Amino acid sequence: MATGLTLKELSKKEDLFTHGHRMCAGCGAPTIVKMALMATEYPVIAANATGCLEVSSCISEYTAWKIPWIHTAFENAAATLSGVETMYRSLKKQGKIDKEVKFIAFGGDGGTYDIGFQSLSGAMERGHDMIYICYDNGAYMNTGIQRSSATPLGADTTTCPAGSCVPGKLRPRKNLTKIMAEHNIPFAAQASPSHWMDLMKKVKKAHEMPGAKFINIISPCNRGWRSKTNDAITLARTAVNTCYWPLYEIENGVTKITFTPKEKLPVVDFLKPQGRFKHLFEQGNEWLLKAMQEEVDREWAKLQAAEKCGC
Amino acid sequence: MKQKGWRDLPPGSVVLEGGSAAKFKTGSWRAFRPVWIEENCIQCLFCWIYCPDMAVKVKDGKRAEFDYDFCKGCGICALECPGKKGKKAIEMAEEGK
């Protein structure tokens, strides 16, 4: 294969994110990190916002990372990595370093959509040469499933519990990938671990481009989504096939859908296996299911229109 | 696995080497163990790429045994396994049975 991305070839590479990390069984995030680090031949330096990934991959004297890695607070992974990248550019200019090094910041949806939003926006606007990867599991899973602005409409979380007062979250999720693309960065994309080749191609492509890049990756969380431990990849695939999580990239302002499902499934197929949406199937909450489907259809139509007009 | 006492830890619990988590075995978390059935395996390596715990060993591009020291028994590999002629190459079996 021209891209060199076959599983057989990739399996010969060293795992830069090792086993022995303490993420939950069946978590989507370690798979995403593994794929992202595998996608390039360049040495990578990573910054990690506080979140599940950070607290579980570096406990006490153990670290799962085999690359230079810096832990930052919730809000400043992008700002910290901006500094590291600037120092690298300075050292390169001074002739103290000649290696080509790439930079990735990892953050969860809480540390990216909400708390780290301003530092991320700043780093993207300044155009630091780095990729920001958000693994989006749709709530603050690490601290006990509180709602974030990535939580989908109608989801049950501990801060918007579904009951007699509210039927889960009442607001739709924020479209961060589009917001990041509006920063006029060279590359913004959405990916899913179920489509590993698409994910790795996007990371590889982003590394080759100068400037700030953003990739949003869906990361199923069986604890917060109240699903089975074995269905992370299946759920991510269903999210793509229902167009809840369309796979696309916006390269220099031009939208391209990188995967179109053969048959667009109803969003119910994605919601049904998840306990956090259980109440949506009760009597009286049909309007939420309808609203959910309408939102997905609207976003998908917008995306198709954007691809068609080349904007 | 024996946990370290405070005397065994470096001052400030500083991490002294990369990838040291490989010394921390998470296999004891497992309630169900994946069992590899070689004759049904088509060497697609999906189990390897989707495993969140890097607990599927691959040697020279060929599927090898599970790494039970680290497998947490989530079952993703068994669900994603396409198998051969409808027969899965990975099945989950309850631990201790």
Side-chain angles (χ1 to χ4, degrees), chain A residues 114-151:
Chain A
D114 300 347
I115 312 177
F117 187 67
Q118 49 84 15
S119 75
L120 171 63
S121 181
M124 294 290 121
E125 187 273 326
R126 290 189 301 270
H128 289 282
D129 190 8
M130 65 181 206
I131 308 178
Y132 192 105
I133 292 180
C134 170
Y135 67 99
D136 180 350
N137 49 27
Y140 290 84
M141 301 309 184
N142 175 43
T143 47
I145 321 164
Q146 290 86 9
R147 109 200 247 290
S148 77
S149 53
T151 306

PDB file of all heavy atoms in Angstrom, chain A residues 114-151:
ATOM      1  N   ASP A 114     -14.308  22.657  26.997  1.00  0.00           N
ATOM      2  CA  ASP A 114     -14.681  23.602  28.045  1.00  0.00           C
ATOM      3  C   ASP A 114     -13.466  24.295  28.648  1.00  0.00           C
ATOM      4  O   ASP A 114     -13.169  25.435  28.343  1.00  0.00           O
ATOM      5  CB  ASP A 114     -15.424  22.871  29.176  1.00  0.00           C
ATOM      6  CG  ASP A 114     -16.690  22.183  28.719  1.00  0.00           C
ATOM      7  OD1 ASP A 114     -17.133  22.470  27.603  1.00  0.00           O
ATOM      8  OD2 ASP A 114     -17.223  21.368  29.473  1.00  0.00           O
ATOM      9  N   ILE A 115     -12.767  23.562  29.520  1.00  0.00           N
ATOM     10  CA  ILE A 115     -11.758  24.203  30.371  1.00  0.00           C
ATOM     11  C   ILE A 115     -10.552  24.673  29.561  1.00  0.00           C
ATOM     12  O   ILE A 115     -10.011  25.734  29.811  1.00  0.00           O
ATOM     13  CB  ILE A 115     -11.311  23.251  31.504  1.00  0.00           C
ATOM     14  CG1 ILE A 115     -12.534  22.629  32.194  1.00  0.00           C
ATOM     15  CG2 ILE A 115     -10.480  23.990  32.523  1.00  0.00           C
ATOM     16  CD1 ILE A 115     -12.200  21.630  33.268  1.00  0.00           C
ATOM     17  N   GLY A 116     -10.134  23.874  28.580  1.00  0.00           N
ATOM     18  CA  GLY A 116      -8.943  24.248  27.817  1.00  0.00           C
ATOM     19  C   GLY A 116      -9.254  25.019  26.547  1.00  0.00           C
ATOM     20  O   GLY A 116      -8.394  25.205  25.693  1.00  0.00           O
ATOM     21  N   PHE A 117     -10.482  25.480  26.423  1.00  0.00           N
ATOM     22  CA  PHE A 117     -10.928  26.082  25.171  1.00  0.00           C
ATOM     23  C   PHE A 117     -10.145  27.343  24.813  1.00  0.00           C
ATOM     24  O   PHE A 117      -9.732  27.519  23.665  1.00  0.00           O
ATOM     25  CB  PHE A 117     -12.426  26.382  25.263  1.00  0.00           C
ATOM     26  CG  PHE A 117     -13.021  26.852  23.971  1.00  0.00           C
ATOM     27  CD1 PHE A 117     -13.098  25.997  22.887  1.00  0.00           C
ATOM     28  CD2 PHE A 117     -13.502  28.145  23.832  1.00  0.00           C
ATOM     29  CE1 PHE A 117     -13.647  26.422  21.693  1.00  0.00           C
ATOM     30  CE2 PHE A 117     -14.044  28.574  22.638  1.00  0.00           C
ATOM     31  CZ  PHE A 117     -14.116  27.710  21.569  1.00  0.00           C
ATOM     32  N   GLN A 118      -9.932  28.203  25.804  1.00  0.00           N
ATOM     33  CA  GLN A 118      -9.247  29.468  25.476  1.00  0.00           C
ATOM     34  C   GLN A 118      -7.791  29.246  25.076  1.00  0.00           C
ATOM     35  O   GLN A 118      -7.293  29.864  24.132  1.00  0.00           O
ATOM     36  CB  GLN A 118      -9.383  30.497  26.606  1.00  0.00           C
ATOM     37  CG  GLN A 118      -9.051  29.998  28.025  1.00  0.00           C
ATOM     38  CD  GLN A 118      -7.582  30.028  28.347  1.00  0.00           C
ATOM     39  OE1 GLN A 118      -6.810  30.668  27.651  1.00  0.00           O
ATOM     40  NE2 GLN A 118      -7.179  29.345  29.401  1.00  0.00           N
ATOM     41  N   SER A 119      -7.107  28.327  25.767  1.00  0.00           N
ATOM     42  CA  SER A 119      -5.693  28.106  25.413  1.00  0.00           C
ATOM     43  C   SER A 119      -5.582  27.399  24.066  1.00  0.00           C
ATOM     44  O   SER A 119      -4.678  27.657  23.279  1.00  0.00           O
ATOM     45  CB  SER A 119      -4.969  27.318  26.514  1.00  0.00           C
ATOM     46  OG  SER A 119      -5.325  25.968  26.492  1.00  0.00           O
ATOM     47  N   LEU A 120      -6.563  26.532  23.785  1.00  0.00           N
ATOM     48  CA  LEU A 120      -6.588  25.844  22.487  1.00  0.00           C
ATOM     49  C   LEU A 120      -6.837  26.853  21.368  1.00  0.00           C
ATOM     50  O   LEU A 120      -6.134  26.866  20.354  1.00  0.00           O
ATOM     51  CB  LEU A 120      -7.693  24.771  22.496  1.00  0.00           C
ATOM     52  CG  LEU A 120      -8.004  24.092  21.161  1.00  0.00           C
ATOM     53  CD1 LEU A 120      -6.796  23.331  20.647  1.00  0.00           C
ATOM     54  CD2 LEU A 120      -9.187  23.146  21.296  1.00  0.00           C
ATOM     55  N   SER A 121      -7.808  27.714  21.584  1.00  0.00           N
ATOM     56  CA  SER A 121      -8.129  28.740  20.589  1.00  0.00           C
ATOM     57  C   SER A 121      -6.913  29.626  20.320  1.00  0.00           C
ATOM     58  O   SER A 121      -6.602  29.935  19.168  1.00  0.00           O
ATOM     59  CB  SER A 121      -9.307  29.579  21.095  1.00  0.00           C
ATOM     60  OG  SER A 121      -9.650  30.555  20.160  1.00  0.00           O
ATOM     61  N   GLY A 122      -6.218  29.993  21.408  1.00  0.00           N
ATOM     62  CA  GLY A 122      -5.026  30.831  21.271  1.00  0.00           C
ATOM     63  C   GLY A 122      -3.937  30.146  20.471  1.00  0.00           C
ATOM     64  O   GLY A 122      -3.351  30.724  19.554  1.00  0.00           O
ATOM     65  N   ALA A 123      -3.685  28.880  20.795  1.00  0.00           N
ATOM     66  CA  ALA A 123      -2.616  28.134  20.107  1.00  0.00           C
ATOM     67  C   ALA A 123      -2.945  27.959  18.626  1.00  0.00           C
ATOM     68  O   ALA A 123      -2.063  28.050  17.767  1.00  0.00           O
ATOM     69  CB  ALA A 123      -2.416  26.777  20.780  1.00  0.00           C
ATOM     70  N   MET A 124      -4.218  27.721  18.334  1.00  0.00           N
ATOM     71  CA  MET A 124      -4.634  27.531  16.940  1.00  0.00           C
ATOM     72  C   MET A 124      -4.479  28.841  16.174  1.00  0.00           C
ATOM     73  O   MET A 124      -4.015  28.873  15.041  1.00  0.00           O
ATOM     74  CB  MET A 124      -6.102  27.068  16.874  1.00  0.00           C
ATOM     75  CG  MET A 124      -6.361  25.705  17.453  1.00  0.00           C
ATOM     76  SD  MET A 124      -5.689  24.347  16.485  1.00  0.00           S
ATOM     77  CE  MET A 124      -4.608  23.578  17.674  1.00  0.00           C
ATOM     78  N   GLU A 125      -4.865  29.938  16.812  1.00  0.00           N
ATOM     79  CA  GLU A 125      -4.790  31.251  16.153  1.00  0.00           C
ATOM     80  C   GLU A 125      -3.339  31.649  15.896  1.00  0.00           C
ATOM     81  O   GLU A 125      -3.004  32.188  14.848  1.00  0.00           O
ATOM     82  CB  GLU A 125      -5.529  32.288  17.020  1.00  0.00           C
ATOM     83  CG  GLU A 125      -5.686  33.655  16.383  1.00  0.00           C
ATOM     84  CD  GLU A 125      -4.499  34.560  16.637  1.00  0.00           C
ATOM     85  OE1 GLU A 125      -3.890  34.480  17.724  1.00  0.00           O
ATOM     86  OE2 GLU A 125      -4.148  35.342  15.740  1.00  0.00           O
ATOM     87  N   ARG A 126      -2.463  31.351  16.877  1.00  0.00           N
ATOM     88  CA  ARG A 126      -1.045  31.705  16.703  1.00  0.00           C
ATOM     89  C   ARG A 126      -0.359  30.796  15.687  1.00  0.00           C
ATOM     90  O   ARG A 126       0.707  31.117  15.191  1.00  0.00           O
ATOM     91  CB  ARG A 126      -0.309  31.620  18.054  1.00  0.00           C
ATOM     92  CG  ARG A 126      -0.699  32.694  19.050  1.00  0.00           C
ATOM     93  CD  ARG A 126       0.231  32.673  20.267  1.00  0.00           C
ATOM     94  NE  ARG A 126       0.215  31.394  20.968  1.00  0.00           N
ATOM     95  CZ  ARG A 126      -0.615  31.093  21.954  1.00  0.00           C
ATOM     96  NH1 ARG A 126      -1.504  31.975  22.369  1.00  0.00           N
ATOM     97  NH2 ARG A 126      -0.563  29.926  22.546  1.00  0.00           N
ATOM     98  N   GLY A 127      -0.976  29.656  15.417  1.00  0.00           N
ATOM     99  CA  GLY A 127      -0.464  28.758  14.386  1.00  0.00           C
ATOM    100  C   GLY A 127       0.778  27.976  14.776  1.00  0.00           C
ATOM    101  O   GLY A 127       1.675  27.770  13.959  1.00  0.00           O
ATOM    102  N   HIS A 128       0.846  27.549  16.032  1.00  0.00           N
ATOM    103  CA  HIS A 128       1.985  26.717  16.440  1.00  0.00           C
ATOM    104  C   HIS A 128       1.968  25.402  15.668  1.00  0.00           C
ATOM    105  O   HIS A 128       0.901  24.836  15.426  1.00  0.00           O
ATOM    106  CB  HIS A 128       1.924  26.428  17.941  1.00  0.00           C
ATOM    107  CG  HIS A 128       2.227  27.631  18.760  1.00  0.00           C
ATOM    108  ND1 HIS A 128       3.501  28.073  18.960  1.00  0.00           N
ATOM    109  CD2 HIS A 128       1.410  28.502  19.400  1.00  0.00           C
ATOM    110  CE1 HIS A 128       3.468  29.169  19.709  1.00  0.00           C
ATOM    111  NE2 HIS A 128       2.215  29.448  19.988  1.00  0.00           N
ATOM    112  N   ASP A 129       3.165  24.925  15.330  1.00  0.00           N
ATOM    113  CA  ASP A 129       3.261  23.714  14.516  1.00  0.00           C
ATOM    114  C   ASP A 129       2.998  22.480  15.377  1.00  0.00           C
ATOM    115  O   ASP A 129       3.926  21.861  15.907  1.00  0.00           O
ATOM    116  CB  ASP A 129       4.651  23.652  13.872  1.00  0.00           C
ATOM    117  CG  ASP A 129       4.725  22.558  12.827  1.00  0.00           C
ATOM    118  OD1 ASP A 129       3.677  21.978  12.503  1.00  0.00           O
ATOM    119  OD2 ASP A 129       5.826  22.286  12.334  1.00  0.00           O
ATOM    120  N   MET A 130       1.723  22.155  15.550  1.00  0.00           N
ATOM    121  CA  MET A 130       1.386  20.996  16.381  1.00  0.00           C
ATOM    122  C   MET A 130       0.010  20.449  16.014  1.00  0.00           C
ATOM    123  O   MET A 130      -0.767  21.100  15.327  1.00  0.00           O
ATOM    124  CB  MET A 130       1.387  21.409  17.852  1.00  0.00           C
ATOM    125  CG  MET A 130       0.303  22.427  18.186  1.00  0.00           C
ATOM    126  SD  MET A 130       0.452  22.843  19.921  1.00  0.00           S
ATOM    127  CE  MET A 130      -1.172  23.327  20.322  1.00  0.00           C
ATOM    128  N   ILE A 131      -0.261  19.226  16.479  1.00  0.00           N
ATOM    129  CA  ILE A 131      -1.598  18.658  16.320  1.00  0.00           C
ATOM    130  C   ILE A 131      -2.232  18.620  17.703  1.00  0.00           C
ATOM    131  O   ILE A 131      -1.596  18.194  18.667  1.00  0.00           O
ATOM    132  CB  ILE A 131      -1.566  17.215  15.778  1.00  0.00           C
ATOM    133  CG1 ILE A 131      -0.721  17.108  14.510  1.00  0.00           C
ATOM    134  CG2 ILE A 131      -2.972  16.707  15.508  1.00  0.00           C
ATOM    135  CD1 ILE A 131      -0.638  15.685  13.971  1.00  0.00           C
ATOM    136  N   TYR A 132      -3.453  19.082  17.796  1.00  0.00           N
ATOM    137  CA  TYR A 132      -4.197  18.895  19.037  1.00  0.00           C
ATOM    138  C   TYR A 132      -5.198  17.778  18.790  1.00  0.00           C
ATOM    139  O   TYR A 132      -6.033  17.871  17.900  1.00  0.00           O
ATOM    140  CB  TYR A 132      -4.918  20.182  19.453  1.00  0.00           C
ATOM    141  CG  TYR A 132      -5.461  20.110  20.868  1.00  0.00           C
ATOM    142  CD1 TYR A 132      -4.842  20.787  21.903  1.00  0.00           C
ATOM    143  CD2 TYR A 132      -6.572  19.333  21.172  1.00  0.00           C
ATOM    144  CE1 TYR A 132      -5.314  20.706  23.202  1.00  0.00           C
ATOM    145  CE2 TYR A 132      -7.052  19.229  22.468  1.00  0.00           C
ATOM    146  CZ  TYR A 132      -6.415  19.931  23.481  1.00  0.00           C
ATOM    147  OH  TYR A 132      -6.881  19.828  24.773  1.00  0.00           O
ATOM    148  N   ILE A 133      -5.094  16.697  19.560  1.00  0.00           N
ATOM    149  CA  ILE A 133      -6.034  15.586  19.413  1.00  0.00           C
ATOM    150  C   ILE A 133      -6.962  15.568  20.618  1.00  0.00           C
ATOM    151  O   ILE A 133      -6.509  15.490  21.763  1.00  0.00           O
ATOM    152  CB  ILE A 133      -5.303  14.234  19.282  1.00  0.00           C
ATOM    153  CG1 ILE A 133      -4.538  14.192  17.946  1.00  0.00           C
ATOM    154  CG2 ILE A 133      -6.294  13.066  19.347  1.00  0.00           C
ATOM    155  CD1 ILE A 133      -3.783  12.918  17.697  1.00  0.00           C
ATOM    156  N   CYS A 134      -8.240  15.690  20.352  1.00  0.00           N
ATOM    157  CA  CYS A 134      -9.231  15.597  21.422  1.00  0.00           C
ATOM    158  C   CYS A 134      -9.863  14.217  21.362  1.00  0.00           C
ATOM    159  O   CYS A 134     -10.376  13.819  20.325  1.00  0.00           O
ATOM    160  CB  CYS A 134     -10.289  16.682  21.237  1.00  0.00           C
ATOM    161  SG  CYS A 134     -11.691  16.478  22.343  1.00  0.00           S
ATOM    162  N   TYR A 135      -9.759  13.451  22.450  1.00  0.00           N
ATOM    163  CA  TYR A 135     -10.509  12.183  22.490  1.00  0.00           C
ATOM    164  C   TYR A 135     -11.815  12.502  23.204  1.00  0.00           C
ATOM    165  O   TYR A 135     -11.847  12.819  24.374  1.00  0.00           O
ATOM    166  CB  TYR A 135      -9.708  11.044  23.138  1.00  0.00           C
ATOM    167  CG  TYR A 135      -9.416  11.206  24.608  1.00  0.00           C
ATOM    168  CD1 TYR A 135     -10.194  10.571  25.567  1.00  0.00           C
ATOM    169  CD2 TYR A 135      -8.357  11.989  25.046  1.00  0.00           C
ATOM    170  CE1 TYR A 135      -9.943  10.728  26.916  1.00  0.00           C
ATOM    171  CE2 TYR A 135      -8.103  12.157  26.398  1.00  0.00           C
ATOM    172  CZ  TYR A 135      -8.893  11.522  27.322  1.00  0.00           C
ATOM    173  OH  TYR A 135      -8.655  11.682  28.659  1.00  0.00           O
ATOM    174  N   ASP A 136     -12.879  12.446  22.439  1.00  0.00           N
ATOM    175  CA  ASP A 136     -14.170  12.947  22.897  1.00  0.00           C
ATOM    176  C   ASP A 136     -15.050  11.800  23.387  1.00  0.00           C
ATOM    177  O   ASP A 136     -15.579  11.029  22.602  1.00  0.00           O
ATOM    178  CB  ASP A 136     -14.821  13.689  21.715  1.00  0.00           C
ATOM    179  CG  ASP A 136     -16.180  14.266  22.069  1.00  0.00           C
ATOM    180  OD1 ASP A 136     -16.699  13.948  23.152  1.00  0.00           O
ATOM    181  OD2 ASP A 136     -16.720  15.024  21.255  1.00  0.00           O
ATOM    182  N   ASN A 137     -15.187  11.685  24.727  1.00  0.00           N
ATOM    183  CA  ASN A 137     -16.085  10.655  25.250  1.00  0.00           C
ATOM    184  C   ASN A 137     -17.384  11.265  25.764  1.00  0.00           C
ATOM    185  O   ASN A 137     -18.214  10.589  26.361  1.00  0.00           O
ATOM    186  CB  ASN A 137     -15.395   9.791  26.316  1.00  0.00           C
ATOM    187  CG  ASN A 137     -14.698  10.618  27.370  1.00  0.00           C
ATOM    188  OD1 ASN A 137     -15.098  11.745  27.631  1.00  0.00           O
ATOM    189  ND2 ASN A 137     -13.676  10.075  27.977  1.00  0.00           N
ATOM    190  N   GLY A 138     -17.527  12.564  25.552  1.00  0.00           N
ATOM    191  CA  GLY A 138     -18.830  13.184  25.764  1.00  0.00           C
ATOM    192  C   GLY A 138     -19.248  13.487  27.191  1.00  0.00           C
ATOM    193  O   GLY A 138     -20.437  13.650  27.442  1.00  0.00           O
ATOM    194  N   ALA A 139     -18.322  13.578  28.121  1.00  0.00           N
ATOM    195  CA  ALA A 139     -18.615  14.034  29.490  1.00  0.00           C
ATOM    196  C   ALA A 139     -17.310  14.017  30.295  1.00  0.00           C
ATOM    197  O   ALA A 139     -16.294  13.556  29.794  1.00  0.00           O
ATOM    198  CB  ALA A 139     -19.646  13.157  30.175  1.00  0.00           C
ATOM    199  N   TYR A 140     -17.358  14.526  31.513  1.00  0.00           N
ATOM    200  CA  TYR A 140     -16.184  14.451  32.395  1.00  0.00           C
ATOM    201  C   TYR A 140     -16.184  13.068  33.043  1.00  0.00           C
ATOM    202  O   TYR A 140     -16.634  12.903  34.175  1.00  0.00           O
ATOM    203  CB  TYR A 140     -16.268  15.539  33.473  1.00  0.00           C
ATOM    204  CG  TYR A 140     -16.076  16.928  32.957  1.00  0.00           C
ATOM    205  CD1 TYR A 140     -17.122  17.648  32.421  1.00  0.00           C
ATOM    206  CD2 TYR A 140     -14.819  17.538  33.016  1.00  0.00           C
ATOM    207  CE1 TYR A 140     -16.939  18.926  31.941  1.00  0.00           C
ATOM    208  CE2 TYR A 140     -14.625  18.813  32.541  1.00  0.00           C
ATOM    209  CZ  TYR A 140     -15.691  19.508  32.001  1.00  0.00           C
ATOM    210  OH  TYR A 140     -15.502  20.778  31.530  1.00  0.00           O
ATOM    211  N   MET A 141     -15.700  12.076  32.303  1.00  0.00           N
ATOM    212  CA  MET A 141     -15.782  10.698  32.782  1.00  0.00           C
ATOM    213  C   MET A 141     -14.855  10.450  33.969  1.00  0.00           C
ATOM    214  O   MET A 141     -15.192   9.701  34.880  1.00  0.00           O
ATOM    215  CB  MET A 141     -15.430   9.740  31.647  1.00  0.00           C
ATOM    216  CG  MET A 141     -16.332   9.854  30.440  1.00  0.00           C
ATOM    217  SD  MET A 141     -18.064   9.760  30.909  1.00  0.00           S
ATOM    218  CE  MET A 141     -18.865   9.801  29.317  1.00  0.00           C
ATOM    219  N   ASN A 142     -13.703  11.096  33.959  1.00  0.00           N
ATOM    220  CA  ASN A 142     -12.702  10.863  34.996  1.00  0.00           C
ATOM    221  C   ASN A 142     -13.197  11.253  36.385  1.00  0.00           C
ATOM    222  O   ASN A 142     -12.920  10.593  37.373  1.00  0.00           O
ATOM    223  CB  ASN A 142     -11.445  11.657  34.617  1.00  0.00           C
ATOM    224  CG  ASN A 142     -10.390  11.600  35.665  1.00  0.00           C
ATOM    225  OD1 ASN A 142     -10.137  10.555  36.220  1.00  0.00           O
ATOM    226  ND2 ASN A 142      -9.783  12.722  35.945  1.00  0.00           N
ATOM    227  N   THR A 143     -13.971  12.327  36.470  1.00  0.00           N
ATOM    228  CA  THR A 143     -14.402  12.825  37.777  1.00  0.00           C
ATOM    229  C   THR A 143     -15.785  12.306  38.158  1.00  0.00           C
ATOM    230  O   THR A 143     -16.317  12.688  39.190  1.00  0.00           O
ATOM    231  CB  THR A 143     -14.406  14.363  37.786  1.00  0.00           C
ATOM    232  OG1 THR A 143     -15.059  14.820  36.598  1.00  0.00           O
ATOM    233  CG2 THR A 143     -13.008  14.928  37.835  1.00  0.00           C
ATOM    234  N   GLY A 144     -16.400  11.506  37.299  1.00  0.00           N
ATOM    235  CA  GLY A 144     -17.683  10.925  37.664  1.00  0.00           C
ATOM    236  C   GLY A 144     -18.836  11.351  36.779  1.00  0.00           C
ATOM    237  O   GLY A 144     -19.935  11.635  37.270  1.00  0.00           O
ATOM    238  N   ILE A 145     -18.583  11.429  35.479  1.00  0.00           N
ATOM    239  CA  ILE A 145     -19.626  11.602  34.466  1.00  0.00           C
ATOM    240  C   ILE A 145     -20.452  12.874  34.652  1.00  0.00           C
ATOM    241  O   ILE A 145     -21.685  12.825  34.764  1.00  0.00           O
ATOM    242  CB  ILE A 145     -20.536  10.346  34.392  1.00  0.00           C
ATOM    243  CG1 ILE A 145     -19.687   9.075  34.545  1.00  0.00           C
ATOM    244  CG2 ILE A 145     -21.289  10.277  33.069  1.00  0.00           C
ATOM    245  CD1 ILE A 145     -20.478   7.846  34.874  1.00  0.00           C
ATOM    246  N   GLN A 146     -19.788  14.021  34.751  1.00  0.00           N
ATOM    247  CA  GLN A 146     -20.519  15.281  34.740  1.00  0.00           C
ATOM    248  C   GLN A 146     -20.675  15.754  33.294  1.00  0.00           C
ATOM    249  O   GLN A 146     -19.842  15.441  32.451  1.00  0.00           O
ATOM    250  CB  GLN A 146     -19.774  16.367  35.544  1.00  0.00           C
ATOM    251  CG  GLN A 146     -19.778  16.136  37.041  1.00  0.00           C
ATOM    252  CD  GLN A 146     -18.649  15.236  37.503  1.00  0.00           C
ATOM    253  OE1 GLN A 146     -17.749  14.911  36.737  1.00  0.00           O
ATOM    254  NE2 GLN A 146     -18.693  14.813  38.752  1.00  0.00           N
ATOM    255  N   ARG A 147     -21.704  16.527  33.039  1.00  0.00           N
ATOM    256  CA  ARG A 147     -21.965  16.980  31.673  1.00  0.00           C
ATOM    257  C   ARG A 147     -20.853  17.929  31.212  1.00  0.00           C
ATOM    258  O   ARG A 147     -20.311  18.707  31.995  1.00  0.00           O
ATOM    259  CB  ARG A 147     -23.318  17.683  31.610  1.00  0.00           C
ATOM    260  CG  ARG A 147     -23.258  19.166  31.423  1.00  0.00           C
ATOM    261  CD  ARG A 147     -24.508  19.844  31.824  1.00  0.00           C
ATOM    262  NE  ARG A 147     -25.218  20.442  30.695  1.00  0.00           N
ATOM    263  CZ  ARG A 147     -24.809  21.500  30.013  1.00  0.00           C
ATOM    264  NH1 ARG A 147     -23.655  22.083  30.273  1.00  0.00           N
ATOM    265  NH2 ARG A 147     -25.537  21.992  29.046  1.00  0.00           N
ATOM    266  N   SER A 148     -20.511  17.867  29.929  1.00  0.00           N
ATOM    267  CA  SER A 148     -19.596  18.839  29.335  1.00  0.00           C
ATOM    268  C   SER A 148     -20.305  19.395  28.105  1.00  0.00           C
ATOM    269  O   SER A 148     -21.406  18.963  27.775  1.00  0.00           O
ATOM    270  CB  SER A 148     -18.277  18.169  28.929  1.00  0.00           C
ATOM    271  OG  SER A 148     -18.446  17.434  27.739  1.00  0.00           O
ATOM    272  N   SER A 149     -19.680  20.335  27.415  1.00  0.00           N
ATOM    273  CA  SER A 149     -20.360  20.865  26.227  1.00  0.00           C
ATOM    274  C   SER A 149     -20.237  19.895  25.052  1.00  0.00           C
ATOM    275  O   SER A 149     -20.730  20.163  23.966  1.00  0.00           O
ATOM    276  CB  SER A 149     -19.865  22.259  25.867  1.00  0.00           C
ATOM    277  OG  SER A 149     -18.475  22.283  25.743  1.00  0.00           O
ATOM    278  N   ALA A 150     -19.582  18.736  25.275  1.00  0.00           N
ATOM    279  CA  ALA A 150     -19.549  17.695  24.244  1.00  0.00           C
ATOM    280  C   ALA A 150     -20.626  16.642  24.503  1.00  0.00           C
ATOM    281  O   ALA A 150     -20.814  15.743  23.700  1.00  0.00           O
ATOM    282  CB  ALA A 150     -18.184  17.025  24.217  1.00  0.00           C
ATOM    283  N   THR A 151     -21.303  16.733  25.644  1.00  0.00           N
ATOM    284  CA  THR A 151     -22.351  15.753  25.962  1.00  0.00           C
ATOM    285  C   THR A 151     -23.517  15.914  24.993  1.00  0.00           C
ATOM    286  O   THR A 151     -23.995  17.032  24.798  1.00  0.00           O
ATOM    287  CB  THR A 151     -22.849  15.960  27.410  1.00  0.00           C
ATOM    288  OG1 THR A 151     -21.717  15.919  28.280  1.00  0.00           O
ATOM    289  CG2 THR A 151     -23.845  14.888  27.823  1.00  0.00           C
TER     290      THR A 151
END
